Amino acid sequence: RPRLRSPLRIADFQEVLGEPTVALTKLRELCFSGIPFDGGLRCLCWKILLNYLPLEKALWSSLLKKQRDLYSQFLKEMIIQPGIAKANLGVSREDVTLEDHPLNPNPDSRWNTYFKDNEVLLQIDKDVRRLYPDMAFFQRPTDYPCLLILDPQNEFETLRRRVEQTTLKSQTVARNRSGVTNVSSPLKSTPSSLSEYEVLPNGCEAHWEVVERILFIYAKLNPGIAYVQGMNEIVGPLYYTFATDPNSEWKEHAEADTFFCFTNLMAEIRDNFIKSLDDSQCGITYKMEKVYSTLKEKDVELYLKLQEQNIKPQFFAFRWLTLLLSQEFLLPDVIRIWDSLFADDKRFDFLLLVCCAMLTLIRDQLLEGDFTLNMRLLQDYPISDVHLILKKAKELQDSK
């Protein structure tokens, strides 16, 4: 563990990142063993590993400018313009034709879209307010509030106001996926009512509001999947990492950069969130079964015990795999696990080994326990030392 912060190790990273073209294989090897936080190294490495930044350094600044401008465009089109249209409604009625009246049931009506979006927004809102309740970070104001959104010249409806006005019609949103309802682990207690959150004064916004915007824009741009509960747990660690970057030039653009890295990551794992793919080769059921077949190879006694107790992988591995373990450990530990996951060139094969390692590390307890006890162990995983888990996963990988 101490080697992680050593000056030598930081120098290794700086050397690889200092080349005009980054050697990806070398970078992956370094990142796999954990990335030092110093000097914003992790933020930079994640952006490369998630295919946001190309390997040619000369292209970085123009690409970043282009992507961040594009994100501002998304904000204008998807939040600001509908917000202005809504605000203007109260002012002048005559420019709203009968065809596009808010109460018009016609499915093409842009108001119909607006109300549909509100259902999605309410679900996102509920989920992002509870991000990492044991940490103050997401409730704190950002250093760089989004000026486009908070421009006092704009008398338009922000997402915050939209949620307030739509009030809690959110019963309509209780269409959860089976299994995902239990997406939060028992460790994470959530405040009982929204009123326990103080709303920041105008001109400020909390980090969770930024995450809400990222997810709302993602849902609008990807209507095929829109928003599924649990995506908030994938954005959280990415955004936290970028928004705490020691380099302020990067930190200022955490929102846009997180959006594109999240989009790229979702392109790789979105099949886990799509119900209709559950039983296909790329779906989550296949991956859960792979955890068990790998376990069978590595530890047949434990595998048979879980089989005999009828402990199916969907009881625990669904959450482990879909959310990339983000609900099983504290945020700094999740981030350390993600260093290895993002560095894995066979993308997420290593995740299966981590899940296996988690099982074998508690094998003695599992072999002795009954169904109820074992379910409790798996739903609320007892070991918090992720270095131990990653070391074990690496041993499993090397013993192939």
Side-chain angles (χ1 to χ4, degrees), residues 4 25 77 93 100 134 138 191 215 235 269 300 328 356 359 369:
L4 193 58
T25 314
E77 279 169 37
R93 303 297 314 214
D100 214 11
D134 46 345
F138 286 98
L215 286 165
V235 179
I269 63 171
V300 74
E328 311 316 311
C356 254
L359 294 171

Side-chain angles (χ1 to χ4, degrees), residues 6-241:
S6 73
L8 269 175
R9 202 164 148 63
I10 292 169
D12 290 345
F13 273 90
Q14 283 166 338
E15 188 186 337
V16 171
L17 294 165
E19 296 292 321
T21 300
V22 177
L24 187 57
T25 314
K26 259 193 208 155
L27 184 70
R28 281 190 195 280
E29 255 166 56
L30 281 174
C31 294
F32 186 80
S33 313
I35 308 169
F37 174 75
D38 308 66
L41 284 174
R42 174 174 280 127
C43 307
L44 182 53
C45 292
W46 278 17
K47 287 176 175 121
I48 296 169
L49 295 174
L50 291 171
N51 305 316
Y52 178 45
L53 285 179
L55 299 175
E56 294 78 33
K57 276 173 73 174
L59 303 174
W60 286 359
S61 63
S62 63
L63 175 117
L64 287 169
K65 182 175 177 344
K66 192 177 117 230
Q67 296 300 87
R68 289 161 179 175
D69 288 349
L70 177 61
Y71 187 73
S72 296
Q73 215 31 59
F74 292 155
L75 290 179
K76 285 178 190 152
E77 279 169 37
M78 288 167 221
I79 296 178
I80 295 177
Q81 282 163 5
I84 290 173
K86 180 82 183 348
N88 286 346
L89 249 188
V91 190
S92 61
R93 303 297 314 214
E94 57 273 11
D95 58 347
V96 179
T97 60
L98 187 63
E99 278 63 66
D100 214 11
H101 189 278
L103 299 176
N104 174 10
N106 172 5
D108 302 332
S109 154
R110 111 184 130 174
W111 291 111
N112 197 40
T113 314
Y114 177 88
F115 292 128
K116 270 216 171 56
D117 288 350
N118 279 357
E119 285 185 18
V120 174
L121 178 59
L122 282 178
Q123 180 64 61
I124 294 174
D125 189 74
K126 225 166 59 184
D127 295 344
V128 293
R129 284 172 188 263
R130 325 186 264 231
L131 265 178
Y132 293 95
D134 46 345
M135 283 178 66
F137 172 80
F138 286 98
Q139 306 302 326
R140 288 208 186 110
T142 76
D143 297 342
Y144 300 100
C146 176
L147 300 176
L148 266 178
I149 299 287
L150 297 176
D151 180 359
Q153 299 303 306
N154 277 340
E155 262 310 301
F156 77 94
E157 190 187 40
T158 57
L159 290 187
R160 186 196 288 183
R161 226 175 285 163
R162 229 170 127 159
V163 169
E164 286 161 8
Q165 287 178 357
T166 314
T167 57
L168 298 166
K169 282 196 219 139
S170 57
Q171 283 63 30
T172 48
V173 193
R175 296 194 295 260
N176 281 336
R177 279 190 62 178
S178 60
V180 184
T181 35
N182 179 25
V183 102
S184 63
S185 71
L187 294 170
K188 316 250 159 118
S189 59
T190 55
S192 54
S193 76
L194 299 183
S195 61
E196 288 179 40
Y197 295 105
E198 37 180 331
V199 172
L200 296 170
N202 281 341
C204 295
E205 54 179 356
H207 287 292
W208 68 262
E209 294 187 73
V210 181
V211 176
E212 176 165 86
R213 238 187 343 258
I214 291 169
L215 286 165
F216 182 71
I217 302 261
Y218 179 81
K220 290 283 289 169
L221 287 171
N222 296 277
I225 182 170
Y227 172 75
V228 179
Q229 201 183 5
M231 287 181 185
N232 53 317
E233 306 291 350
I234 302 283
V235 179
L238 284 177
Y239 174 73
Y240 174 80
T241 300

Side-chain angles (χ1 to χ4, degrees), residues 123 127 173-184 224-231 266 269-280 282-288 314 317-319 321-323:
Q123 180 64 61
D127 295 344
V173 193
R175 296 194 295 260
N176 281 336
R177 279 190 62 178
S178 60
V180 184
T181 35
N182 179 25
V183 102
S184 63
I225 182 170
Y227 172 75
V228 179
Q229 201 183 5
M231 287 181 185
M266 279 305 295
I269 63 171
R270 59 181 281 169
D271 295 349
N272 296 346
F273 287 91
I274 299 176
K275 183 86 184 100
S276 59
L277 287 177
D278 277 359
D279 299 319
S280 68
C282 53
I284 186 74
T285 309
Y286 173 74
K287 291 184 184 122
M288 289 190 292
Q314 44 270 45
F318 180 84
R319 191 174 74 205
L321 294 167
T322 305
L323 304 182

